[in-house]
Amino acid sequence: MRYENSAYWKSLHREFEGGLRAVGHPHLGERLNELKYASEAETFIEVVARVLESFAPGSELRVLDLGTGVGFWARLLDSMMREAGFSVRMTVLDISAEALETVGKALPEAERMQADLKQIDLDARAGEFDLVFAGYCLHHLDRLDDFSHGLQFAARSVAAGGRLLVMDPMLTMPFSELDVLDFGRYAGNGMARHLCVWEDVLDREQLQLEERRPAVSFLLNGCIEANGRFAYAFASMLWARACQWVYRSDARTSRLAGLLTAADGRLKRAGQGLSSSLCLFRRI
């Protein structure tokens, strides 16, 4: 049976009730998900801090968080912007009513929008937002038409002078076993696509890539690509062993947290994350 996004997310949000496992790796421990999100947040903060420099101090910023999940990124954005002296008008969108209820408790002033990105009117929020963020959201639209539709909605929602920030698995290196997936038998809940596919859709919507960084390394999120078959196999083996021996136990993960975090940071700085990317696009 193929993945169906509405039922899948409703089930996870009911089971984990606001925990990061609802939006991260549900079959691994919460501590691993905390380390993964902390690594991604470190990259995210660096990029967003630079984006904020392009806006007039003290102005109101209109923000859209797509696939908000438990609201981790919406809360971080809201906090960063207010600490920098901006006022914030936050809109959070998700297919799950359970997710929006959770986010509403943390951000009661945020506008909540329940919608399916596969079906949403492309111009429903056209040109409304200074920053649109989609974190681990669009790759879950596994069919190409649905993915393009969701990405076009995100792009069209960006105002003049605004930015689109995306965190997702994007293929940018010469080798990936994901390149040989048989779609007809594929049973996953997300589809990693080449960065050029993202850029193709966004170029038509007058958005251009401004910056790309490794969001997190394969040590905390799994390997999706590498410079060659051996590097891919080695990184995938390390991830599989860590999942088997460490990440299912919060206690074991906590004991190794310092070492894992340090190694993850070094891999990202070396451009060898081999996992998800954080990409910043600006309206041309």
Side-chain angles (χ1 to χ4, degrees):
M1 182 176 178
R2 289 197 63 83
Y3 154 76
E4 198 287 311
N5 60 339
S6 178
Y8 177 82
W9 294 110
K10 180 179 291 187
S11 173
L12 284 179
H13 284 291
R14 284 179 173 174
E15 181 177 359
F16 296 114
E17 298 180 354
L20 291 176
R21 293 175 70 186
V23 289
H25 294 285
H27 303 299
L28 301 176
E30 186 72 6
R31 186 70 179 114
L32 175 274
N33 283 284
E34 290 172 356
L35 294 181
K36 164 184 138 62
Y37 267 76
S39 174
E40 293 159 350
E42 178 184 54
T43 311
F44 180 88
I45 288 169
E46 291 175 359
V47 174
V48 171
R50 191 176 65 77
V51 171
L52 294 181
E53 295 175 358
S54 66
F55 296 112
S59 60
E60 179 185 68
L61 295 183
R62 302 160 297 170
V63 181
L64 172 61
D65 181 23
L66 294 177
T68 191
V70 297
F72 180 94
W73 302 108
R75 286 182 278 118
L76 182 54
L77 277 170
D78 187 81
S79 175
M80 285 186 68
M81 290 175 172
R82 293 187 189 281
E83 287 179 7
F86 296 97
S87 60
V88 183
R89 182 150 56 91
M90 179 71 68
T91 299
V92 293
L93 182 151
D94 204 278
I95 195 171
S96 166
E98 290 81 2
L100 292 172
E101 182 179 353
T102 297
V103 179
K105 295 174 183 176
L107 295 172
E109 296 180 359
E111 176 191 359
R112 286 175 278 173
M113 185 177 180
Q114 186 177 3
D116 185 343
L117 289 173
K118 296 185 298 186
Q119 303 171 352
I120 197 166
D121 177 358
L122 291 178
D123 296 309
R125 309 301 295 262
E128 285 192 29
F129 299 98
D130 303 298
L131 179 64
V132 175
F133 175 64
Y136 291 104
C137 167
L138 295 168
H139 81 288
H140 288 299
L141 303 176
D142 55 347
R143 293 193 176 273
L144 185 57
D145 285 350
D146 295 336
F147 165 78
S148 296
H149 191 93
L151 185 53
Q152 283 179 284
F153 170 77
R156 294 187 189 183
S157 300
V158 178
R163 301 289 197 282
L164 170 64
L165 187 59
V166 178
M167 188 186 299
D168 248 329
M170 301 176 187
L171 302 178
T172 63
M173 290 183 168
F175 182 83
S176 174
E177 289 186 354
L178 301 179
D179 272 339
V180 295
L181 288 175
D182 180 336
F183 186 82
R185 289 178 290 178
Y186 178 60
N189 63 21
M191 183 71 68
R193 294 181 170 89
H194 286 267
L195 178 57
C196 65
V197 175
W198 294 77
E199 290 184 281
D200 180 38
V201 174
L202 293 174
D203 182 69
R204 295 171 187 267
E205 299 294 335
Q206 286 77 55
L207 272 80
Q208 187 175 76
L209 182 64
E210 186 173 2
E211 182 176 1
R212 185 189 75 83
R213 297 190 187 192
V216 61
S217 81
F218 68 88
L219 287 177
L220 298 178
N221 195 47
C223 178
I224 65 167
E225 62 179 356
N227 285 316
R229 182 180 296 274
F230 176 78
Y232 185 94
F234 182 71
S236 297
M237 180 271 292
L238 287 179
W239 166 251
R241 295 294 182 269
C243 290
Q244 180 182 3
W245 296 332
V246 181
Y247 293 152
R248 297 183 191 280
S249 164
D250 285 346
R252 286 194 291 271
T253 304
S254 292
R255 284 196 291 271
L256 294 172
L259 177 63
L260 290 165
T261 297
D264 171 80
R266 284 195 290 270
L267 287 166
K268 288 195 297 181
R269 288 190 293 274
Q272 294 298 310
L274 312 186
S275 191
S276 299
S277 295
L278 184 66
C279 290
L280 179 68
F281 297 87
R282 61 177 175 84
R283 184 160 294 289
I284 301 171

